Amino acid sequence: MGFEFSDRLKKLPPYLFVEIDKAKRKARSEGRDIIDLGIGDPDEPTPQEVIESLYKAAQDSKNHHYPLDQGSSVFRERIAKWYGDRFGVELDPEKEVLPLLGSKEGISHMPLAFLNPGDVSLIPDPCYPPYKGGTIFAGGTPYLMPLRQENNFLPDLNKIEKSALKKAKIIYINYPNNPTASTCEKGFLEDAAIFAKKHNLMVASDAAYSEVTFDKYRPGSFLKVEGGKDAGVEFHSLSKTCNMTGWRVGFACGNEKIISGLAKVKSNIDSGVFNAIQMAGVTALDISDKHLTRMNRVYQERRDALVDGLGKIGWNIKKPKATFYVWANLPKKYKSSIEFAKVVLDKANIVITPGVGFGENGEGYVRFALTVSRERILEAVERLGKLLG
Ligand SMILES: *Cc1c(COP(=O)(O)O)cnc(C)c1O
């Protein structure tokens, strides 16, 4: 049959993780002992309290119906309270908070609410792929802002071309950052708010990793800086915060107009998050401090095992202050991140993600995810030592 994918589907960059997953499954089917430092999905289970909360809420038949388009008021109020406690930001739970089917959903739907064909989104590169995907689905054009090591992986806002800026409606920022694991100072968030106001841009601040932090580092909220709430929204996820990637629950907070546009798109596409999961989300926020104290210690030990271990074999990397990733320059001998990742899979049975999979400016790097045990990380380091030694 002559079915054709739409032009917008054809325009999507290839989703690299699908390719990596294929290679990984093939290697596993051959019986090889694979250490997967590829995709960023917490290895530990969802906290028991959250599971019990879901179980209880699922028993209640009033949770079996379509959720409200704007989400349950109990969950919205809990999110607003969490924002106040954690970031010192006051939010109106009616108008400034929106539960999402995972933050990826909101991140990729936002352009549908605000971009017309030909409009531009300003997108960091390398980046989490849905910024580009969502923009392309909305008929918009991604304009890439390179994240360079010499600028601490911050976009240089002054280097954005005037012609792109004129057509730009949305700017994505993401700190703590995936894939580079970099963080930003409050000054950058302030600059972004000023820049957005000057150029009439909406800021989409992806804060999925705001709670996965080490060495006492505690990032602030974009909504807390002057003009933040006028300029944008912030996306949060319970996926990384509470080991809940499979549950599909996150939220957007901030600018009322943006929240209402996003809610309108959602009410026409999905019908919101299962009420029982929203109740479990309330519990997740209740217990997140306790859970994170333990989980962040675990990730920090793994980070230290990896970075210290690689340092000993002559591969020197700066320790990240947040996220469960380590972003590393390729060893000198290698130029292509895909080629290097292939060698590492073939020769050392380790999955890592080639930086170029996150965008052209990710070339020259690979990303390690700290989502296996410390023992397995030590084993990976040993194998890499043999490979590179
Ligand atoms: C994992 C991740 C998300 C979102 O995950 P959800 O499961 O959809 O909430 C958002 N942004 C970045 C950068 C991520 O790595």
Side-chain angles (χ1 to χ4, degrees), residues 181-208:
S182 57
T183 53
C184 75
E185 303 288 330
K186 186 170 163 218
F188 173 76
L189 299 178
E190 288 166 346
D191 290 350
I194 293 166
F195 185 80
K197 184 170 181 201
K198 182 167 169 206
H199 298 286
N200 198 24
L201 296 168
M202 282 169 261
V203 175
S205 167
D206 178 355

Side-chain angles (χ1 to χ4, degrees), residues 121-286:
S121 295
L122 305 175
I123 296 174
D125 184 277
C127 73
Y128 180 59
Y131 310 152
K132 290 176 189 164
T135 296
I136 291 168
F137 275 161
T141 307
Y143 174 89
L144 305 182
M145 305 180 289
L147 303 186
R148 300 202 199 284
Q149 196 158 8
E150 61 267 24
N151 198 33
N152 297 316
F153 298 107
L154 297 171
D156 188 342
L157 302 177
N158 299 317
K159 287 216 174 117
I160 299 168
E161 285 167 36
K162 293 237 156 45
S163 57
L165 208 41
K166 254 191 233 150
K167 292 189 259 175
K169 293 252 177 81
I170 300 174
I171 179 168
Y172 283 96
I173 58 174
N174 169 219
Y175 294 97
N177 183 261
N178 177 13
T180 68
S182 57
T183 53
C184 75
E185 303 288 330
K186 186 170 163 218
F188 173 76
L189 299 178
E190 288 166 346
D191 290 350
I194 293 166
F195 185 80
K197 184 170 181 201
K198 182 167 169 206
H199 298 286
N200 198 24
L201 296 168
M202 282 169 261
V203 175
S205 167
D206 178 355
Y209 295 94
S210 67
E211 307 311 298
V212 183
T213 63
F214 316 119
D215 310 326
K216 302 211 166 74
Y217 174 67
R218 293 276 275 175
S221 166
F222 174 73
L223 302 180
K224 178 73 176 169
V225 305
E226 172 131 12
K229 231 205 281 181
D230 297 328
V233 287
E234 196 151 67
F235 292 95
H236 281 274
S237 172
L238 294 176
S239 293
K240 317 294 163 57
T241 304
C242 264
N243 297 350
M244 292 174 73
T245 47
W247 296 55
R248 310 316 302 133
V249 56
F251 44 92
C253 298
N255 183 274
E256 182 181 333
K257 182 78 182 276
I258 302 176
I259 292 290
S260 72
L262 196 47
K264 205 161 174 180
V265 171
K266 283 177 60 57
S267 70
N268 280 280
I269 295 182
D270 57 68
S271 295
V273 182
F274 179 27
N275 277 324
I277 291 185
Q278 297 190 61
M279 291 305 109
V282 170
T283 305
L285 290 176
D286 288 344

